[in-house]
C-alpha cells in the first residue's frame, strides 16, 4: 500500500512532472501530492540537461512543504536517492548499486536513476515548497551516452511493473523523510556513505575541474575531496566524473 501521506495523480503524458508539481505548489496544493507520468516530452535533469523519458520507466515528482532553509532542502536530495537505492536493491539484491554524489544511483557505474530537486524562491529564510523529481529506468535506458553510461532494471533481469516500483519508492521515501524529520541528516549521511561510490574523481564546478580522492560527505551534504597536496576541499555544487571515465 502507498503510504497515506501521498496523493498520486497519474498522467499518460506531460512535459515534465516537476513542472506540473511546481505549478500545483504555486497554486497552494498541500504537501504529499505526487505527480506521476507514463511519459515526459520535456523531462529535465540538472542545469537544463535532458532526461530521456520514453514510456516504460518511472517519472515522478513529490511536493513537500517542510518549511526549511535552502541549505536543508538539499537533504531531501539524499533522502530521495536513498529511497531509490533501497527500491532497486530490493528488486535486484545481487546487483552492485552505488550512490554517486550528489544525486545519482548507479549500477556497476551505470546510471539507473536521477533526482532533480527544485525549490520555491526563498522568502524570509524559509522555503514555501520543494519538489523532488525522480526518474528510474525500469524498462529501458539511453544507449548512446558514452560519458555517463546508463542501465535499466529490465537489463538487470528484473521483472516488475511501474506500479510496483512506484509503491516501493514511495514507501522508502516516506521512511527516509521521517528519518530526516525526527533524527536529522546524520543517519541519512551515514547510510549514503555506506554505499557511496568512492575512489579518484574529477569534479566539474563553476570554478573549473577539481581532481581528488573521495574523502566523505560533510554535515551539509557537500562532497569532501582530498587533493594531491593532501588538503581537503568541500564541494557544494558540481558534476562528478570518475577518474577512469
Ligand atoms: C538528473 O540530472 O539525474 C536528474 C534527473 C531527474 C529526472 C526526473 S524524471 C521526473 C522528474 N521530472 C523531470 O522533468 N525531471 C525529474 P543530471 O544529473 O543533470 O543528469 C542528466 C544526464 O543524465 C543527461 O545529461 C544524460 O547524460 C543522462 N541521462 C538522460 N536521461 C537518462 C536516463 N533516462 N537514464 C540515465 N541517464 C540519463
Amino acid at each position: 500500500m502507498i503510504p497515506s501521506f501521498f496523493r498520486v495523480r497519474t498522467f499518460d503524458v506531460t512535459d515534465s512532472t516537476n513542472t506540473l508539481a511546481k505549478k500545483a505548489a504555486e497554486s497552494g496544493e498541500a504537501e504529499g501530492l505526487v505527480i506521476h507520468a507514463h511519459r515526459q516530452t520535456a523531462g529535465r535533469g540538472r542545469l537544463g540537461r535532458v532526461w530521456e523519458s520514453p514510456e516504460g520507466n518511472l517519472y515522478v515528482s513529490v511536493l513537500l512543504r517542510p518549511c526549511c532553509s535552502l541549505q536543508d532542502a538539499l537533504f531531501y536530495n539524499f533522502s530521495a536517492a536513498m529511497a531509490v537505492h533501497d527500491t532497486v536493491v530490493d528488486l535486484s539484491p545481487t546487483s552492485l548499486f552505488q550512490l554517486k554524489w550528489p544525486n545519482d544511483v548507479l549500477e556497476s557505474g551505470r546510471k539507473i536513476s536521477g533526482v532533480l530537486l527544485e525549490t520555491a524562491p526563498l522568502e524570509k529564510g524559509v522555503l514555501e515548497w520543494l519538489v523532488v523529481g525522480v526518474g528510474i529506468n525500469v524498462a529501458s535506458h539511453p544507449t548512446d551516452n558514452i560519458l555517463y553510461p546508463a542501465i535499466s532494471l529490465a537489463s538487470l533481469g528484473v521483472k516488475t511493473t511501474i506500479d510496483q516500483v512506484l509503491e516501493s519508492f514511495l514507501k522508502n521515501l516516506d521512511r527516509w523523510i521521517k528519518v530526516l524529520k525526527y533524527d536529522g541528516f546524520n543517519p541519512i549521511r551515514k547510510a549514503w556513505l555506506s554505499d557511496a561510490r568512492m575512489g579518484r574523481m574529477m569534479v566539474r564546478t563553476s570554478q573549473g575541474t577539481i581532481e581528488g580522492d573521495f574523502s566523505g560527505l560533510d554535515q551539509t551534504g557537500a562532497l569532501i575531496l582530498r587533493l594531491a597536496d593532501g588538503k581537503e576541499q568541500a564541494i557544494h555544487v558540481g558534476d562528478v566524473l570518475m577518474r577512469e571515465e
Side-chain angles (χ1 to χ4, degrees):
M1 277 240 304
I2 289 177
S4 59
F5 172 67
F6 297 116
R7 306 180 308 283
V8 181
R9 269 182 224 158
T10 298
F11 298 82
D12 266 348
V13 59
T14 185
D15 50 358
S16 153
T17 55
N18 261 41
T19 304
L20 262 190
K22 282 164 68 176
K23 280 185 191 149
E26 276 156 13
S27 63
E29 186 83 44
E31 70 170 347
L33 177 72
V34 177
I35 302 287
H36 164 227
H38 293 303
R39 181 164 68 86
Q40 300 184 116
T41 53
R44 288 185 279 119
R46 295 177 307 136
L47 307 170
R49 288 184 286 240
V50 170
W51 187 253
E52 307 273 339
S53 307
E55 188 141 359
N57 297 331
L58 180 69
Y59 312 107
V60 72
S61 299
V62 181
L63 167 61
L64 298 171
R65 296 186 183 274
C67 292
C68 64
S69 65
L70 187 57
Q71 178 78 49
D72 289 359
L74 288 179
F75 299 153
Y76 288 87
N77 240 341
F78 292 93
S79 305
M82 285 311 304
V84 171
H85 171 269
D86 293 355
T87 299
V88 292
V89 167
D90 275 354
L91 288 164
S92 187
T94 55
S95 299
L96 175 67
F97 291 109
Q98 286 184 315
L99 296 146
K100 186 178 100 171
W101 187 87
N103 63 346
D104 290 351
V105 180
L106 309 179
E107 193 282 327
S108 302
R110 301 165 294 184
K111 181 156 166 159
I112 196 160
S113 169
V115 179
L116 176 65
L117 177 82
E118 294 184 297
T119 64
L122 198 58
E123 276 169 37
K124 297 182 197 134
V126 171
L127 294 171
E128 281 265 308
W129 52 261
L130 57 88
V131 166
V132 190
V134 170
I136 303 180
N137 295 331
V138 179
S140 69
H141 60 274
T143 51
D144 52 0
N145 200 334
I146 291 151
L147 195 54
Y148 300 103
I151 190 75
S152 60
L153 286 168
S155 307
L156 296 172
V158 175
K159 290 186 179 39
T160 186
T161 63
I162 302 259
D163 285 348
Q164 275 171 353
V165 180
L166 175 62
E167 181 176 333
S168 170
F169 168 69
L170 291 177
K171 278 185 188 157
N172 286 316
L173 184 66
D174 189 55
R175 188 164 46 81
W176 283 113
I177 287 175
K178 284 184 179 138
V179 169
L180 187 55
K181 186 169 174 186
Y182 298 113
D183 303 317
F185 180 52
N186 211 30
I188 297 171
R189 181 179 155 271
K190 281 192 184 146
W192 191 93
L193 277 171
S194 70
D195 280 310
R197 190 148 192 228
M198 309 203 174
R200 167 109 345 169
M201 47 188 68
M202 319 247 290
V203 188
R204 277 195 214 128
T205 73
S206 53
Q207 282 91 49
T209 301
I210 303 166
E211 183 168 350
D213 290 312
F214 179 91
S215 175
L217 185 71
D218 78 7
Q219 301 294 338
T220 69
L223 170 71
I224 310 293
L225 276 192
R226 183 167 299 106
L227 309 180
D229 61 7
K231 286 190 185 135
E232 293 202 326
Q233 181 165 347
I235 297 170
H236 296 272
V237 182
D239 274 316
V240 170
L241 290 172
M242 299 310 286
R243 191 64 188 91
E244 67 272 19
E245 290 162 358

